[in-house]
Amino acid sequence: MRPHVLALAITGVLAVRVTAQDLPPAPPPPAGEDSSRPPPLSDIAIEGRDSAQNNALANEITPELDEAIARGLAYLAQQQNADGSFGDLRYERNIAITALACLAFMADGNVPGRGVYAEHVQKGLEFVLANVAENGLLASDAANGPMYGHGFATLFLGEVYGMTAGGGDTRLAQRTHEALVKAVRLIESTQNDQGGWRYNPVPYDADVSVTICQVMGLRSARNAGLEVSRDTIDRAVTYVRQCQNPDGGFKYQLDVGASAWPRSAAGVAALYYAGIYEDESLNRGLSYLNMSAMPGTGRAPRTHYFYGHYYAIQAMYLAGGDWWARWWPAAREELLMQQLDTGAWDDRSVGPTYSTAMGLLVLQMPKRYLPIFQK
């Protein structure tokens, strides 16, 4: 596989195709509201955040963690381009990195119209919406392996729509809804015969790293109220299961690759987001991660480091119990030690904007603001 592409890789509903007509239109604006311009998506409280199940546990969030997050967010905000995009080095104006950066702001409770970084999220949203192809593909001109970016951008749109209670009643909300519907339809229509997805929006071959991106996008859309094909999810589960090796790790493709911890973390997360919560495949995958990549042990290779931590923290959080209790403090301390004086984290193969967004998403997991991370 191409390492630089993997580095960027970082859902019972009826099996129906989603179209813009499948859901009711947004309600008309309240009397007296100026609908000639797109105001903030919503000024309502973020839904689901205050349930007891989603509150942080004792000692999950420390003063040191809060300080590191604040510094990281400030650095990230400075990296946004005038058009709302993010990305550096070979990945300027990249839709995947833009989506991840905006998700990092949202993981701190910022949404269009609410929060210190509300404007940054809204500008990023505008950039994504300006790059919706007629077939629904979310990709900027600089796209490389566009289905990676499409999956992350679909996740971003789903989280925006979900965190603002369906987007309120603005024109921007309607655009977000329409783009999300088209993005879901593209994912459903490009699944290959094996049940997965790969770099381009054509149903030819598949790999685990692209497949997890699409599964998360579909799960976020479903959480936000869109209907997602049950058959699409079932087939994705079959594909991911078949990619698991006897040691509990996951291979890159059905007939290619030994186990590696970053894609194994993605494989476990894909099963969780597809709705598999108790299964021997999960236990074997989690055990493999603990043996091969437990933070603080030095076992995990640096290749695709932030990509691996992004999915591993989600896998352990969704597993809960002792899995989470052991992994989280170790991951937190390891990442805090690597933060630079600028507030950034650095990945020399993709750039500090990408790695800072990924690092922030890992460290903000206990805040549980993003619907995709709520149980």
Side-chain angles (χ1 to χ4, degrees):
M1 67 176 298
R2 293 178 287 175
H4 67 283
V5 176
L6 178 57
L8 276 176
I10 307 218
T11 129
V13 294
L14 296 176
V16 296
R17 287 285 180 213
V18 179
T19 67
Q21 290 74 35
D22 288 329
L23 297 176
E33 180 175 306
D34 180 7
S35 60
S36 63
R37 59 184 178 85
L41 276 175
S42 175
D43 287 328
I44 69 169
I46 296 171
E47 292 193 338
R49 174 62 181 88
D50 296 325
S51 68
Q53 190 176 29
N54 289 316
N55 287 338
L57 302 177
N59 302 318
E60 281 189 339
I61 299 177
T62 64
E64 294 79 10
L65 176 65
D66 281 334
E67 180 183 357
I69 290 171
R71 293 171 56 223
L73 291 172
Y75 171 85
L76 196 60
Q78 295 171 357
Q79 310 312 307
Q80 189 169 35
N81 298 315
D83 62 0
S85 67
F86 288 84
D88 38 33
L89 301 182
R90 294 174 295 168
Y91 303 101
E92 295 181 358
R93 302 183 68 254
N94 185 277
I95 205 158
I97 298 177
T98 299
L100 289 166
C102 289
L103 286 167
F105 292 124
M106 293 171 66
D108 197 51
N110 300 279
V111 295
R114 179 179 295 277
V116 174
Y117 297 107
E119 183 179 353
H120 294 81
V121 179
Q122 181 154 338
K123 288 176 63 178
L125 176 59
E126 292 279 11
F127 174 77
V128 172
L129 295 178
N131 286 279
V132 183
E134 186 63 29
N135 67 349
L137 181 66
L138 304 169
S140 60
D141 293 340
N144 188 345
M147 286 304 286
Y148 278 127
H150 182 84
F152 285 126
T154 302
L155 170 61
F156 170 46
L157 294 181
E159 297 302 281
V160 169
Y161 202 68
M163 288 180 73
T164 54
D169 50 17
T170 69
R171 290 189 299 158
L172 184 58
Q174 187 65 28
R175 290 172 59 203
T176 302
H177 168 259
E178 291 173 355
L180 181 58
V181 167
K182 292 174 69 174
V184 168
R185 184 172 67 245
L186 178 77
I187 294 173
E188 291 179 335
S189 66
T190 57
Q191 186 177 35
N192 84 334
D193 291 341
Q194 296 172 329
W197 293 265
R198 202 148 192 247
Y199 302 139
N200 295 304
V202 288
Y204 293 159
D205 53 1
D207 69 67
V208 167
S209 63
V210 177
T211 296
I212 175 58
C213 293
Q214 314 316 311
V215 170
M216 284 191 72
L218 293 176
R219 180 59 182 260
S220 179
R222 180 184 171 184
N223 287 350
L226 276 70
E227 292 189 29
V228 173
S229 166
R230 181 72 255 177
D231 179 64
T232 298
I233 300 305
D234 289 345
R235 292 170 59 209
V237 167
T238 298
Y239 174 74
V240 174
R241 287 185 187 278
Q242 291 175 341
C243 286
Q244 190 169 33
N245 287 320
D247 64 0
F250 288 76
K251 64 184 75 174
Y252 178 53
Q253 294 179 284
L254 289 183
D255 56 353
V256 178
S259 298
W261 80 274
R263 60 171 168 264
S264 297
V268 174
L271 293 176
Y272 275 122
Y273 287 122
I276 308 299
Y277 300 110
E278 294 185 8
D279 190 88
E280 183 58 29
S281 295
L282 294 173
N283 293 331
R284 293 195 296 120
L286 292 166
S287 295
Y288 173 85
L289 290 174
N290 270 276
M291 291 296 295
S292 63
M294 172 62 72
T297 65
R299 299 173 192 158
R302 293 291 302 185
T303 306
H304 311 311
Y305 178 83
F306 290 95
Y307 168 89
H309 272 295
Y310 171 75
Y311 286 119
I313 203 69
Q314 295 175 59
M316 295 300 171
Y317 169 69
L318 292 168
D322 289 341
W323 299 110
W324 171 250
R326 289 194 301 266
W327 191 278
W328 164 245
R332 179 184 62 200
E333 297 313 308
E334 183 169 302
L335 283 175
L336 289 181
M337 290 177 60
Q338 296 183 34
Q339 189 175 29
L340 304 177
D341 291 341
T342 60
W345 285 265
D346 194 17
D347 182 315
R348 295 183 180 179
S349 65
V350 185
T353 302
Y354 161 80
S355 47
T356 300
M358 288 297 225
L360 286 168
L361 284 167
V362 172
L363 292 176
Q364 294 184 97
M365 176 67 69
K367 294 189 176 184
R368 299 161 170 86
Y369 275 113
L370 291 171
I372 195 76
F373 296 157
Q374 294 175 10
K375 294 183 179 180

